[in-house]
Amino acid sequence: MRPKIYLFGDSITEFSFADGGWGAALAHHFSRRVDVVVRGYSGYNTRWALKVLERVFPEYCDGGGDGAPLAVTVFFGANDACLPDGYGAFQHVPLHEYKQNLNSIVSFFKKKWPATRILLITPPPIDEEGRLLNPYIKNPSNEPERTNNAAGDYAKACIAVATECGVPVIDIWTKMQQIPGWEKACLRCTKLEACHTDSKSKPTQPIELL
């Protein structure tokens, strides 16, 4: 049986197998060698992820190969970083709780699969103008429910957790903004969300994962 890599996260992970998505790029790279398995949950934050963790990865969960997956990516924070007073407040998770939740998720995987490589991914940057032009739901106040500064705070918290837990991390919040015109080059501005990585963008994420 082939070994597996699990991708665990929110909608950015759930949609990663769309045409040209980062999950699809990983699956193509590891074709015939490793099965890349998506466990993405649109709209989820770390609080909700913790509630379903044992059902998503039950005791008998097969990691392929000798029973443990090669790696697990943990990609949450975009929804946690919603502003507490915006229309997306129901998804907001305070920064200190976000760190605790991430720590608990990493600890779960370390205990379940001690030899598995766990990789954290920070939330991406936010195109605030794009989100206002294309809100996910009606936004009567016309005020942003997410900001790039807030996303940056959660990205820093994710990096801090990775350091504390001794696991690697990909800082896509910083790396994407190093690309000229990142708002349009890296993010998809549609009726879905202006924080989703664009399938037509430069393949920063899969390259870093590899």
Side-chain angles (χ1 to χ4, degrees):
M1 183 180 294
R2 292 177 188 165
K4 294 180 180 179
I5 294 175
Y6 281 104
L7 312 182
F8 184 45
D10 54 31
S11 56
I12 305 174
T13 297
E14 180 176 345
F15 301 148
S16 67
F17 265 62
D19 185 25
W22 64 275
L26 281 178
H28 176 72
H29 176 82
F30 289 110
S31 178
R32 300 177 65 181
R33 293 175 291 156
V34 178
D35 289 335
V36 179
V37 183
V38 173
R39 292 294 182 265
Y41 299 87
S42 181
Y44 269 50
N45 53 35
T46 52
R47 182 185 297 161
W48 301 344
L50 267 180
K51 290 182 181 294
V52 301
L53 195 55
E54 292 187 357
R55 282 181 283 169
V56 177
F57 300 97
E59 185 176 350
Y60 57 83
C61 185
D62 176 28
D66 62 358
L70 289 178
V72 177
T73 64
V74 179
F75 193 177
F76 288 99
N79 297 317
D80 301 68
C82 283
L83 300 180
D85 55 354
Y87 72 83
F90 68 99
Q91 292 175 299
H92 172 75
V93 172
L95 196 60
H96 70 279
E97 183 189 344
Y98 170 70
K99 292 181 69 175
Q100 291 173 352
N101 293 343
L102 264 189
N103 212 312
S104 296
I105 291 170
V106 172
S107 295
F108 172 86
F109 286 124
K110 280 189 169 185
K111 182 178 180 181
K112 183 176 182 62
W113 294 311
T116 294
R117 188 174 181 83
I118 302 162
L119 174 67
L120 297 186
I121 305 174
T122 72
I126 298 292
D127 176 9
E128 296 175 26
E129 181 182 351
R131 290 193 69 86
L132 285 175
L133 290 173
N134 299 282
Y136 183 63
I137 58 176
K138 288 184 179 180
N139 181 13
S141 68
N142 200 37
E143 294 291 333
E145 99 290 12
R146 308 182 190 205
T147 66
N148 197 35
N149 283 339
D153 289 339
Y154 283 73
K156 292 173 185 174
C158 180
I159 294 168
V161 171
T163 301
E164 293 170 9
C165 295
V167 299
V169 60
I170 298 176
D171 180 9
I172 64 170
W173 186 84
T174 297
K175 290 182 180 296
M176 281 188 176
Q177 291 182 86
Q178 293 170 347
I179 298 173
W182 61 269
E183 297 92 338
K184 302 298 182 287
C186 298
L187 300 178
R188 186 178 72 230
C189 292
T190 68
K191 288 294 182 181
L192 285 172
E193 287 184 271
C195 70
H196 282 158
T197 55
D198 189 348
S199 62
K200 298 178 182 178
S201 68
K202 295 182 180 180
T204 303
Q205 203 165 345
I207 287 175
E208 289 295 326
L209 283 166
L210 297 174

